[in-house]
Structures are given as C-alpha cells and as structure tokens.
Amino acid sequence: MKALQTLPLALLCLLAPATSHAEDKRPNILFLFSDDHALQSISAYGGRLKDIAPTPNIDRLAKEGAIFENSFCANSICGPSRACIMTGKHSHKNGFMRNGNVFDGSQPTFPKMLRKSGYQTAVIGKWHLESDPTGFDYWEILPGQGSYYNPDFIQMDGSKKRFPGYCTDLVTDHAIQWLDKRDKTKPFMLMCQHKAPHRNWAPAPRHLTLFDDVEIPEPKTLRDDYSGRSAWLKKNEMTLAEHFHWQHDLKLHGKSIVPNKIMDGMLNGEYMRMTREQKNKWDAAYGPKNKPFIAALKAKTLSDDEILKWKYQRYIKDYLRCIRAVDENIGRMLDYLEKNGLAENTIVIYSSDQGFYLGEHGWYDKRWMFEESLKMPFLIRWPGVVKSGTRPQEMIQNIDYAPTFLEIAGVEIPKDIQGSSLVPVLKGKTPADWRKDIYYAYYMNPGTHNVPRHDGVRTDRYKIFYLPQSKEWQMFDLKKDPLELRSVHDDASYAETFKEMKALYAERRAHFEGILK
C-alpha cells in the first residue's frame, strides 16, 4: 500500500521540470547590454580609437573568452533589436518593427522559457519595448530612453522611483543588489542593460574632462559627399555638419547664435534634471571649453569645416566619456562574480543593440545597412567551454541569442525560432551548414533621421540591399571597397555577381518570409 501511495508522487517528479540538484549546476547567464555601442570604440576590436580610449574591462571578456568578428543585427534600431533578442525572430515575425511599436509580451520569449525550466530571471535598466516585461521574476526598467542624470526607474507595481546619481552606475548598483538578494538555490539569468552610450551622450561627473588634452582622429569618411550611391544618402538627417542641436548635442547654453549653422529646437534635458552640485561640475567642465568656440562664432572667424571639426571633437569625446562609465561598470560586474565565487559557473555576454556611426559618412546614429551600423559587438566568456582569446569568424546575428541561451539551459528550442544556437560554435565545432550570409531589414520611414526602408543580404564579401521607395538596388564589394563608397550594382564587371546576389536576396526573403514593401 505504501508503494502504491508514493507512486503518484514519483510520477509527478518524473513529469515535472527538473529543478533539483542536477539542474542547479546549469550555468548562470549574465547578459550585459548597452545602447549604440560602436565596435570602433571597443579596443579589443581594434580601430583608430583603441589606444586613445581603451576599454580594459570589456577587453577582459575578449582575453578570457571569445570576441566575434562578424556579429550583426537584424534591424539596426533600439527597440526592434531588443525584440529580436527576446524572441529569436526577425522584426516582422515578432511584431516589433519600429521604435514606437508595443512589444507583445504574450508571445514566447527566452526569459519565459528559462524561468519555466527553473532559472530565476531579471531585467534591470533600459527596456524600450513599451509594454511591461514578462517572463521575469524581477524587473526594474527605465521609462522610454531613460535619463543619464538622476534617472527614474519603473517598479513592478507600475510606480516610478527617482534615484540620485548617474544612470550607468545605478543600473549596476541595482543589478548587484538583485544578485545579492536572489534565490541562490536556482541558476540565474540577469539582463543588465545600460542606457549609455545613447544620444545625447551626457558623461558622468567624474569623466567630464576626460580626453580634454587629446585630439581624436577623424574617420576617413567624415566629409563623405555621398556620390556613387543612392540619392537617399544626401536626404538623411543625421549629419554632424547639419543636424546637431546647440544645447542637446553640443552642450552649449542658451539659443544658437548661428542658427543657419547649428540648430536650436532640442534642449539639454539632462542638464535640466541635474542638482545644483551636478550643474556646477558640468559648467566648470564645459564652460572653459565652450567659451573660445562661442567667441570665434561671434567673430565669424570659423569656416564651415572648422565648425565641423569642433563638432566632431565634442561628439566623439562625449561619446567615449559615456563608454568609459560603461566599461568601469562592466568591471564592477566581473569583479562581483569573482568575489562571490560565481565566475566559474557564469556565462558572461557583452553586446549592444546595434553599431553606431562615429562620424563615418559624416553621420551619427545607425539604421543604414552600412557596416558601422550593421555590426554589433558580441563577446562571451564561458569558463571551461569557450577557449580564451579566440576570435570566431562565423557570421552571427542577434536572433541567435535566444536559441543559444535555451540550449545552454537544456531547454528545447521552438521550431519557429529563426536564429541558430551558437553553442556548437562556442565549443569550436561549427556545423558544416552554418550560415554563409545574413538577412537584414529596416522598416522605419518616414521617421527620425529620414533613413529609407530597405532590406538586404550580406555575405563575407558582398552586400546587397533594396530601397522599395525608389525601386533602387545598392551593392558593395567589401573586399575592394571596405568603406562602402561606391555601389557596383550597375557596374558591368559585376553583372554576374549582381545577378547572384539578387537571387540570394530573393531566396533569403522567401526563407524568412520577409514583408518589406
């Protein structure tokens, strides 16, 4: 009788998700994420900024794990990229195609599946998906884009709480507090997500004078004339030369004294929310730097090119100052894992929602399928699995993150997920049929910065995309033209390649059931 009475309990144990000792040994997942972090500003990736503005803590992940050289986003814009990560699907499949959409939190996401399998899940920091997070045991998120100074955090009961200090530091503070208080009998998956280095690039008080004594090298294409490519490039509204605002971007007070050269219209909202002490530090740092520039503008002694040079230095230094705080706080998280005996059984990923233009093609922002925007950082440390110091060349996308996390946790990957698990690649056993190209689609327009809708395919050498509004193709030979200065779609010597790339484009659109029109 006793054996019969215990049978239902035994059956229940077999049927229930495994949450016992064996499952507790599954690795923790720490997903460190930022906004608009360009590869050019991560020293482990190389480039013109590596010696001027090193990122030693992010570089630790490259040295102790892997740094992917060919990591790409599926849609280069903040909210859609995050939705791709959550679902493992392209934007037209997860329903979040443009900033301003509302994410359907009822759909399957990897945090929901991890939580169901026994993981404790949390997201802290920038969310930007409009609806409340689902699938998390704990969440605390910034409203919209969030603020750098004295930010508000939305709580799980819907209320907002304002915290004094600097956002990048506070996101890390709150993440560490959650780690301290979590249920330590379960593995965790924590998404620690920073606002920085999103526009308007407001540095922490401790970094306001960083790089003041340095002249940052300009990108070769800062003065791109946009010839040899679509006329759409000249219509974009994201140039340093014409589309920076006096207060918001350039940190100047009052009204523009040269409105025909530097626009008014956007206030510096960060300055407006600062405390008196914060404002005093800000003014002490920026005042002396602004004074000679304003005097020269009043005296009309600066050429347009000299104004552009000043704008670039102001922009890139503020951007890199924001990166410095991100890097410092990545270091804080890595140190926390070490001090609390978690490093060996915690997978750490660092990524960002897309790349960013740091003056390349004369631009800031993202959106276009050009390399600086399309490429996104992906670094991963997985002790005992990922070989230290490796630089995988496989082409990966942010739709791959969800299936990767699921396989790591031993959770079955749903058949409708469009990405592929990176686990075999991370173990050094790349499948023979691993992708040789990636598909990209951008859906906004009309919209901010006037970048047109387009979708396309990138291989190891060629890139092709289509602009439906002008019924126009663009194709680039990345080997001969890495700066993407001339489209060869109508070059007779590329006729056969153009035909092949159009066929590949049609094949990938059909495979992913693309809907761009």
Side-chain angles (χ1 to χ4, degrees), residues 34 36-50 53 55 58-59 67-73 197 319-320 323 350-358 360 371-379 391 401 458:
S34 60
D36 294 342
H37 196 174
L39 267 65
Q40 311 93 286
S41 59
I42 298 175
S43 47
Y45 274 105
R48 71 183 191 278
L49 302 172
K50 63 182 177 65
T55 50
I58 296 174
D59 292 359
I67 178 171
F68 279 74
E69 301 276 12
N70 291 296
S71 168
F72 304 94
C73 60
Y319 181 92
L320 294 174
I323 295 297
Y350 179 73
S351 185
S352 186
D353 45 9
Q354 60 264 321
F356 210 68
Y357 300 107
L358 301 183
E360 295 87 4
E371 291 292 277
E372 296 85 3
S373 171
L374 178 65
K375 280 193 167 184
M376 58 193 296
F378 187 85
L379 302 92
R391 305 182 78 93
Y401 299 4
R458 186 200 189 279

Short mmCIF file of all heavy atoms in Angstrom, two decimals, residues 34 36-50 53 55 58-59 67-73 197 319-320 323 350-358 360 371-379 391 401 458:
data_model
loop_
_atom_site.label_atom_id
_atom_site.label_comp_id
_atom_site.label_asym_id
_atom_site.label_seq_id
_atom_site.Cartn_x
_atom_site.Cartn_y
_atom_site.Cartn_z
N SER A 34 24.42 47.25 -23.77
CA SER A 34 24.42 48.71 -23.84
C SER A 34 23.66 49.16 -25.08
O SER A 34 23.12 48.34 -25.82
CB SER A 34 25.87 49.23 -23.87
OG SER A 34 26.55 48.73 -25.01
N ASP A 36 23.75 51.42 -28.59
CA ASP A 36 24.50 52.17 -29.61
C ASP A 36 26.01 52.11 -29.42
O ASP A 36 26.72 53.09 -29.70
CB ASP A 36 24.07 53.64 -29.63
CG ASP A 36 22.63 53.84 -30.10
OD1 ASP A 36 22.07 52.93 -30.72
OD2 ASP A 36 22.08 54.93 -29.84
N HIS A 37 26.53 50.98 -28.98
CA HIS A 37 27.97 50.88 -28.77
C HIS A 37 28.67 50.40 -30.04
O HIS A 37 28.55 49.25 -30.44
CB HIS A 37 28.29 49.94 -27.61
CG HIS A 37 29.69 50.09 -27.11
ND1 HIS A 37 30.16 49.43 -26.00
CD2 HIS A 37 30.74 50.84 -27.56
CE1 HIS A 37 31.42 49.75 -25.80
NE2 HIS A 37 31.79 50.60 -26.74
N ALA A 38 29.40 51.31 -30.67
CA ALA A 38 30.10 51.00 -31.91
C ALA A 38 31.33 50.14 -31.67
O ALA A 38 32.06 50.35 -30.70
CB ALA A 38 30.51 52.30 -32.60
N LEU A 39 31.57 49.19 -32.58
CA LEU A 39 32.77 48.36 -32.48
C LEU A 39 34.04 49.21 -32.47
O LEU A 39 35.04 48.84 -31.83
CB LEU A 39 32.83 47.38 -33.65
CG LEU A 39 32.23 45.99 -33.43
CD1 LEU A 39 30.73 46.08 -33.20
CD2 LEU A 39 32.52 45.08 -34.61
N GLN A 40 34.00 50.34 -33.19
CA GLN A 40 35.18 51.19 -33.30
C GLN A 40 35.63 51.71 -31.95
O GLN A 40 36.78 52.16 -31.80
CB GLN A 40 34.90 52.40 -34.20
CG GLN A 40 34.27 52.10 -35.54
CD GLN A 40 32.75 52.19 -35.47
OE1 GLN A 40 32.10 51.31 -34.92
NE2 GLN A 40 32.18 53.24 -36.05
N SER A 41 34.75 51.68 -30.95
CA SER A 41 35.10 52.23 -29.64
C SER A 41 35.34 51.13 -28.60
O SER A 41 35.34 51.40 -27.40
CB SER A 41 34.00 53.18 -29.15
OG SER A 41 32.75 52.51 -29.07
N ILE A 42 35.54 49.90 -29.06
CA ILE A 42 35.93 48.79 -28.19
C ILE A 42 37.35 48.42 -28.57
O ILE A 42 37.60 47.95 -29.69
CB ILE A 42 34.98 47.59 -28.32
CG1 ILE A 42 33.57 47.99 -27.90
CG2 ILE A 42 35.49 46.41 -27.49
CD1 ILE A 42 32.53 46.90 -28.11
N SER A 43 38.30 48.63 -27.67
CA SER A 43 39.70 48.49 -28.06
C SER A 43 40.05 47.07 -28.50
O SER A 43 40.92 46.88 -29.36
CB SER A 43 40.62 48.96 -26.94
OG SER A 43 40.25 48.44 -25.68
N ALA A 44 39.37 46.07 -27.97
CA ALA A 44 39.65 44.69 -28.39
C ALA A 44 39.33 44.46 -29.85
O ALA A 44 39.88 43.55 -30.48
CB ALA A 44 38.86 43.71 -27.52
N TYR A 45 38.43 45.26 -30.42
CA TYR A 45 38.11 45.15 -31.84
C TYR A 45 39.11 45.90 -32.72
O TYR A 45 39.07 45.78 -33.95
CB TYR A 45 36.70 45.68 -32.12
CG TYR A 45 35.61 44.65 -31.91
CD1 TYR A 45 34.79 44.70 -30.79
CD2 TYR A 45 35.40 43.62 -32.82
CE1 TYR A 45 33.78 43.76 -30.59
CE2 TYR A 45 34.40 42.68 -32.64
CZ TYR A 45 33.59 42.75 -31.52
OH TYR A 45 32.60 41.81 -31.33
N GLY A 46 39.98 46.70 -32.14
CA GLY A 46 40.95 47.47 -32.92
C GLY A 46 40.34 48.77 -33.43
O GLY A 46 39.30 49.23 -32.95
N GLY A 47 40.97 49.37 -34.37
CA GLY A 47 40.46 50.61 -34.93
C GLY A 47 41.19 51.83 -34.41
O GLY A 47 42.09 51.75 -33.58
N ARG A 48 40.76 52.99 -34.91
CA ARG A 48 41.51 54.22 -34.69
C ARG A 48 41.47 54.72 -33.24
O ARG A 48 42.25 55.59 -32.86
CB ARG A 48 41.01 55.31 -35.64
CG ARG A 48 39.63 55.85 -35.32
CD ARG A 48 39.18 56.90 -36.35
NE ARG A 48 38.00 57.61 -35.92
CZ ARG A 48 36.75 57.17 -36.04
NH1 ARG A 48 36.55 55.98 -36.58
NH2 ARG A 48 35.73 57.89 -35.65
N LEU A 49 40.56 54.18 -32.42
CA LEU A 49 40.37 54.69 -31.07
C LEU A 49 40.98 53.81 -29.99
O LEU A 49 40.95 54.16 -28.82
CB LEU A 49 38.86 54.86 -30.79
CG LEU A 49 38.10 55.78 -31.75
CD1 LEU A 49 36.61 55.70 -31.48
CD2 LEU A 49 38.59 57.21 -31.64
N LYS A 50 41.53 52.68 -30.38
CA LYS A 50 41.93 51.67 -29.38
C LYS A 50 43.00 52.16 -28.40
O LYS A 50 42.98 51.78 -27.23
CB LYS A 50 42.39 50.39 -30.07
CG LYS A 50 43.62 50.50 -30.93
CD LYS A 50 43.94 49.15 -31.60
CE LYS A 50 45.13 49.25 -32.52
NZ LYS A 50 46.38 49.54 -31.82
N ALA A 53 41.26 55.53 -26.34
CA ALA A 53 40.15 55.28 -25.42
C ALA A 53 39.98 53.77 -25.20
O ALA A 53 39.01 53.17 -25.67
CB ALA A 53 38.87 55.88 -25.97
N THR A 55 39.19 50.09 -23.60
CA THR A 55 38.08 49.55 -22.80
C THR A 55 38.58 48.28 -22.09
O THR A 55 38.23 47.15 -22.48
CB THR A 55 36.88 49.22 -23.69
OG1 THR A 55 37.31 48.42 -24.81
CG2 THR A 55 36.23 50.49 -24.22
N ILE A 58 35.88 45.47 -20.81
CA ILE A 58 35.25 44.73 -21.91
C ILE A 58 36.30 43.83 -22.57
O ILE A 58 36.02 42.68 -22.94
CB ILE A 58 34.62 45.69 -22.93
CG1 ILE A 58 33.48 46.48 -22.26
CG2 ILE A 58 34.07 44.93 -24.13
CD1 ILE A 58 32.87 47.57 -23.12
N ASP A 59 37.51 44.35 -22.69
CA ASP A 59 38.60 43.57 -23.28
C ASP A 59 38.90 42.31 -22.46
O ASP A 59 39.41 41.32 -23.01
CB ASP A 59 39.86 44.41 -23.40
CG ASP A 59 39.72 45.54 -24.43
OD1 ASP A 59 38.64 45.64 -25.05
OD2 ASP A 59 40.68 46.31 -24.59
N ILE A 67 35.71 36.87 -28.85
CA ILE A 67 35.18 38.10 -29.43
C ILE A 67 34.83 37.80 -30.88
O ILE A 67 35.69 37.39 -31.67
CB ILE A 67 36.18 39.27 -29.30
CG1 ILE A 67 35.64 40.53 -29.95
CG2 ILE A 67 37.54 38.91 -29.83
CD1 ILE A 67 36.48 41.78 -29.66
N PHE A 68 33.56 37.94 -31.22
CA PHE A 68 33.10 37.60 -32.56
C PHE A 68 33.34 38.75 -33.52
O PHE A 68 32.90 39.88 -33.29
CB PHE A 68 31.62 37.20 -32.53
CG PHE A 68 31.39 35.79 -32.10
CD1 PHE A 68 31.54 35.42 -30.77
CD2 PHE A 68 31.04 34.81 -33.02
CE1 PHE A 68 31.34 34.11 -30.36
CE2 PHE A 68 30.84 33.50 -32.63
CZ PHE A 68 30.99 33.14 -31.30
N GLU A 69 34.02 38.44 -34.63
CA GLU A 69 34.40 39.47 -35.60
C GLU A 69 33.27 39.79 -36.58
O GLU A 69 33.28 40.86 -37.20
CB GLU A 69 35.62 38.99 -36.40
CG GLU A 69 36.84 38.67 -35.56
CD GLU A 69 37.67 39.90 -35.26
OE1 GLU A 69 37.18 41.01 -35.50
OE2 GLU A 69 38.81 39.73 -34.78
N ASN A 70 32.33 38.87 -36.73
CA ASN A 70 31.25 39.06 -37.71
C ASN A 70 29.90 38.88 -37.05
O ASN A 70 29.14 37.95 -37.35
CB ASN A 70 31.43 38.07 -38.87
CG ASN A 70 32.64 38.39 -39.72
OD1 ASN A 70 32.70 39.45 -40.35
ND2 ASN A 70 33.62 37.51 -39.71
N SER A 71 29.60 39.80 -36.14
CA SER A 71 28.33 39.80 -35.41
C SER A 71 27.47 40.94 -35.96
O SER A 71 27.93 42.08 -36.06
CB SER A 71 28.62 40.01 -33.92
OG SER A 71 27.44 40.30 -33.21
N PHE A 72 26.22 40.62 -36.30
CA PHE A 72 25.36 41.59 -36.98
C PHE A 72 23.98 41.65 -36.33
O PHE A 72 23.51 40.67 -35.75
CB PHE A 72 25.18 41.20 -38.45
CG PHE A 72 26.47 41.04 -39.21
CD1 PHE A 72 27.07 39.79 -39.34
CD2 PHE A 72 27.10 42.14 -39.77
CE1 PHE A 72 28.26 39.63 -40.03
CE2 PHE A 72 28.30 42.00 -40.46
CZ PHE A 72 28.88 40.74 -40.59
N CYS A 73 23.34 42.82 -36.45
CA CYS A 73 21.96 42.95 -36.01
C CYS A 73 21.02 42.62 -37.17
O CYS A 73 21.42 42.64 -38.33
CB CYS A 73 21.69 44.34 -35.46
SG CYS A 73 21.94 45.68 -36.63
N PRO A 197 25.80 54.10 -24.59
CA PRO A 197 26.11 55.50 -24.88
C PRO A 197 25.11 56.16 -25.85
O PRO A 197 25.51 56.77 -26.85
CB PRO A 197 27.48 55.40 -25.54
CG PRO A 197 27.41 54.09 -26.31
CD PRO A 197 26.57 53.18 -25.45
N TYR A 319 30.87 60.91 -26.38
CA TYR A 319 30.51 59.50 -26.60
C TYR A 319 31.48 58.58 -25.86
O TYR A 319 31.07 57.66 -25.14
CB TYR A 319 30.54 59.22 -28.10
CG TYR A 319 30.15 57.81 -28.49
CD1 TYR A 319 28.84 57.47 -28.79
CD2 TYR A 319 31.12 56.81 -28.56
CE1 TYR A 319 28.48 56.18 -29.15
CE2 TYR A 319 30.79 55.52 -28.92
CZ TYR A 319 29.47 55.20 -29.21
OH TYR A 319 29.13 53.91 -29.56
N LEU A 320 32.76 58.84 -26.01
CA LEU A 320 33.77 57.99 -25.37
C LEU A 320 33.77 58.14 -23.85
O LEU A 320 34.09 57.19 -23.13
CB LEU A 320 35.15 58.30 -25.94
CG LEU A 320 35.35 57.95 -27.42
CD1 LEU A 320 36.70 58.44 -27.92
CD2 LEU A 320 35.20 56.45 -27.66
N ILE A 323 31.21 55.83 -22.72
CA ILE A 323 31.73 54.46 -22.80
C ILE A 323 32.62 54.14 -21.60
O ILE A 323 32.61 53.02 -21.08
CB ILE A 323 32.54 54.26 -24.11
CG1 ILE A 323 31.64 54.38 -25.33
CG2 ILE A 323 33.26 52.91 -24.10
CD1 ILE A 323 30.57 53.34 -25.43
N TYR A 350 28.74 40.26 -23.43
CA TYR A 350 28.60 41.70 -23.62
C TYR A 350 28.20 41.97 -25.05
O TYR A 350 28.82 41.48 -26.00
CB TYR A 350 29.89 42.47 -23.32
CG TYR A 350 29.68 43.96 -23.54
CD1 TYR A 350 28.93 44.71 -22.63
CD2 TYR A 350 30.15 44.59 -24.69
CE1 TYR A 350 28.68 46.06 -22.85
CE2 TYR A 350 29.91 45.94 -24.91
CZ TYR A 350 29.16 46.66 -23.99
OH TYR A 350 28.89 48.00 -24.22
N SER A 351 27.14 42.76 -25.21
CA SER A 351 26.69 43.13 -26.54
C SER A 351 26.00 44.49 -26.47
O SER A 351 25.92 45.12 -25.41
CB SER A 351 25.73 42.06 -27.08
OG SER A 351 25.36 42.35 -28.43
N SER A 352 25.54 44.97 -27.62
CA SER A 352 24.79 46.20 -27.71
C SER A 352 23.73 46.03 -28.78
O SER A 352 23.81 45.08 -29.59
CB SER A 352 25.73 47.36 -28.07
OG SER A 352 25.04 48.60 -28.04
N ASP A 353 22.73 46.91 -28.81
CA ASP A 353 21.59 46.66 -29.70
C ASP A 353 21.92 46.84 -31.17
O ASP A 353 21.21 46.34 -32.04
CB ASP A 353 20.37 47.51 -29.31
CG ASP A 353 20.71 48.96 -29.02
OD1 ASP A 353 21.85 49.38 -29.28
OD2 ASP A 353 19.82 49.68 -28.53
N GLN A 354 22.98 47.56 -31.48
CA GLN A 354 23.46 47.69 -32.85
C GLN A 354 24.78 48.45 -32.80
O GLN A 354 25.27 48.76 -31.73
CB GLN A 354 22.47 48.44 -33.74
CG GLN A 354 22.14 49.86 -33.32
CD GLN A 354 20.89 49.96 -32.50
OE1 GLN A 354 19.93 49.27 -32.77
NE2 GLN A 354 20.88 50.82 -31.49
N GLY A 355 25.34 48.73 -33.97
CA GLY A 355 26.52 49.57 -34.02
C GLY A 355 26.12 51.04 -34.03
O GLY A 355 24.99 51.40 -33.68
N PHE A 356 27.04 51.90 -34.49
CA PHE A 356 26.77 53.33 -34.48
C PHE A 356 27.81 54.02 -35.36
O PHE A 356 28.93 53.55 -35.50
CB PHE A 356 26.86 53.88 -33.05
CG PHE A 356 25.98 55.05 -32.78
CD1 PHE A 356 24.60 54.92 -32.76
CD2 PHE A 356 26.51 56.30 -32.52
CE1 PHE A 356 23.78 56.00 -32.48
CE2 PHE A 356 25.70 57.39 -32.24
CZ PHE A 356 24.32 57.24 -32.22
N TYR A 357 27.41 55.14 -35.96
CA TYR A 357 28.34 55.93 -36.76
C TYR A 357 29.05 56.95 -35.86
O TYR A 357 28.40 57.79 -35.23
CB TYR A 357 27.61 56.66 -37.89
CG TYR A 357 26.91 55.72 -38.83
CD1 TYR A 357 25.53 55.59 -38.81
CD2 TYR A 357 27.64 54.94 -39.73
CE1 TYR A 357 24.89 54.70 -39.66
CE2 TYR A 357 27.01 54.06 -40.58
CZ TYR A 357 25.63 53.94 -40.54
OH TYR A 357 25.00 53.05 -41.38
N LEU A 358 30.34 56.86 -35.82
CA LEU A 358 31.15 57.81 -35.05
C LEU A 358 31.80 58.79 -36.02
O LEU A 358 33.01 58.96 -36.06
CB LEU A 358 32.19 57.07 -34.22
CG LEU A 358 31.63 56.05 -33.22
CD1 LEU A 358 32.76 55.42 -32.41
CD2 LEU A 358 30.59 56.68 -32.31
N GLU A 360 31.63 58.40 -39.31
CA GLU A 360 31.76 57.76 -40.61
C GLU A 360 30.60 58.19 -41.52
O GLU A 360 29.46 58.25 -41.09
CB GLU A 360 31.78 56.24 -40.48
CG GLU A 360 32.98 55.69 -39.73
CD GLU A 360 32.78 55.64 -38.23
OE1 GLU A 360 31.66 55.97 -37.77
OE2 GLU A 360 33.73 55.28 -37.50
N GLU A 371 28.30 49.08 -42.71
CA GLU A 371 28.99 48.25 -41.72
C GLU A 371 28.96 48.81 -40.30
O GLU A 371 28.74 48.08 -39.34
CB GLU A 371 30.45 48.04 -42.14
CG GLU A 371 30.63 47.16 -43.37
CD GLU A 371 30.24 45.71 -43.12
OE1 GLU A 371 31.05 44.94 -42.58
OE2 GLU A 371 29.09 45.36 -43.46
N GLU A 372 29.19 50.10 -40.14
CA GLU A 372 29.30 50.67 -38.80
C GLU A 372 28.00 50.52 -38.00
O GLU A 372 28.02 50.46 -36.78
CB GLU A 372 29.68 52.16 -38.87
CG GLU A 372 31.05 52.41 -39.46
CD GLU A 372 31.04 52.47 -40.98
OE1 GLU A 372 29.96 52.38 -41.59
OE2 GLU A 372 32.14 52.61 -41.57
N SER A 373 26.89 50.49 -38.71
CA SER A 373 25.57 50.34 -38.08
C SER A 373 25.15 48.88 -37.98
O SER A 373 24.56 48.46 -36.99
CB SER A 373 24.55 51.12 -38.92
OG SER A 373 23.23 50.87 -38.52
N LEU A 374 25.48 48.12 -39.00
CA LEU A 374 25.07 46.72 -39.09
C LEU A 374 25.81 45.83 -38.09
O LEU A 374 25.22 44.92 -37.49
CB LEU A 374 25.32 46.21 -40.51
CG LEU A 374 25.00 44.76 -40.83
CD1 LEU A 374 23.49 44.49 -40.70
CD2 LEU A 374 25.48 44.41 -42.25
N LYS A 375 27.08 46.09 -37.89
CA LYS A 375 27.86 45.25 -36.98
C LYS A 375 27.58 45.62 -35.53
O LYS A 375 27.46 46.79 -35.19
CB LYS A 375 29.36 45.41 -37.27
CG LYS A 375 29.83 44.59 -38.46
CD LYS A 375 31.34 44.51 -38.52
CE LYS A 375 31.79 43.45 -39.51
NZ LYS A 375 33.26 43.28 -39.53
N MET A 376 27.48 44.61 -34.69
CA MET A 376 27.25 44.84 -33.27
C MET A 376 28.25 44.01 -32.48
O MET A 376 28.67 42.93 -32.92
CB MET A 376 25.82 44.47 -32.88
CG MET A 376 25.41 43.04 -33.17
SD MET A 376 23.62 42.76 -33.05
CE MET A 376 23.31 43.10 -31.33
N PRO A 377 28.67 44.48 -31.32
CA PRO A 377 29.65 43.71 -30.53
C PRO A 377 29.03 42.44 -29.97
O PRO A 377 27.85 42.41 -29.61
CB PRO A 377 30.04 44.67 -29.42
CG PRO A 377 28.90 45.63 -29.30
CD PRO A 377 28.30 45.75 -30.67
N PHE A 378 29.83 41.41 -29.89
CA PHE A 378 29.43 40.20 -29.17
C PHE A 378 30.68 39.55 -28.61
O PHE A 378 31.54 39.06 -29.35
CB PHE A 378 28.69 39.21 -30.07
CG PHE A 378 28.11 38.05 -29.30
CD1 PHE A 378 26.87 38.16 -28.69
CD2 PHE A 378 28.80 36.84 -29.18
CE1 PHE A 378 26.33 37.10 -27.96
CE2 PHE A 378 28.27 35.78 -28.46
CZ PHE A 378 27.03 35.91 -27.86
N LEU A 379 30.79 39.60 -27.28
CA LEU A 379 31.91 38.98 -26.57
C LEU A 379 31.32 38.04 -25.54
O LEU A 379 30.31 38.36 -24.89
CB LEU A 379 32.79 40.02 -25.89
CG LEU A 379 33.42 41.09 -26.79
CD1 LEU A 379 32.53 42.32 -26.88
CD2 LEU A 379 34.80 41.48 -26.27
N ARG A 391 38.86 34.39 -31.63
CA ARG A 391 38.17 35.41 -32.42
C ARG A 391 37.40 34.71 -33.55
O ARG A 391 37.83 34.71 -34.70
CB ARG A 391 39.16 36.44 -32.99
CG ARG A 391 40.03 37.10 -31.92
CD ARG A 391 40.95 38.14 -32.51
NE ARG A 391 40.28 39.39 -32.82
CZ ARG A 391 40.21 40.43 -31.98
NH1 ARG A 391 40.77 40.36 -30.78
NH2 ARG A 391 39.59 41.54 -32.33
N TYR A 401 20.75 34.79 -30.16
CA TYR A 401 20.95 34.80 -28.72
C TYR A 401 19.94 33.91 -28.00
O TYR A 401 20.30 33.12 -27.12
CB TYR A 401 20.84 36.21 -28.15
CG TYR A 401 21.83 37.22 -28.67
CD1 TYR A 401 22.75 36.92 -29.68
CD2 TYR A 401 21.85 38.51 -28.17
CE1 TYR A 401 23.64 37.87 -30.15
CE2 TYR A 401 22.74 39.47 -28.63
CZ TYR A 401 23.63 39.14 -29.63
OH TYR A 401 24.51 40.09 -30.09
N ARG A 458 24.02 40.19 -46.64
CA ARG A 458 25.48 40.38 -46.61
C ARG A 458 26.16 39.02 -46.56
O ARG A 458 25.79 38.16 -45.75
CB ARG A 458 25.90 41.20 -45.39
CG ARG A 458 27.41 41.54 -45.36
CD ARG A 458 27.83 41.89 -43.95
NE ARG A 458 29.16 42.44 -43.83
CZ ARG A 458 30.29 41.71 -43.80
NH1 ARG A 458 30.24 40.38 -43.92
NH2 ARG A 458 31.46 42.31 -43.65
#
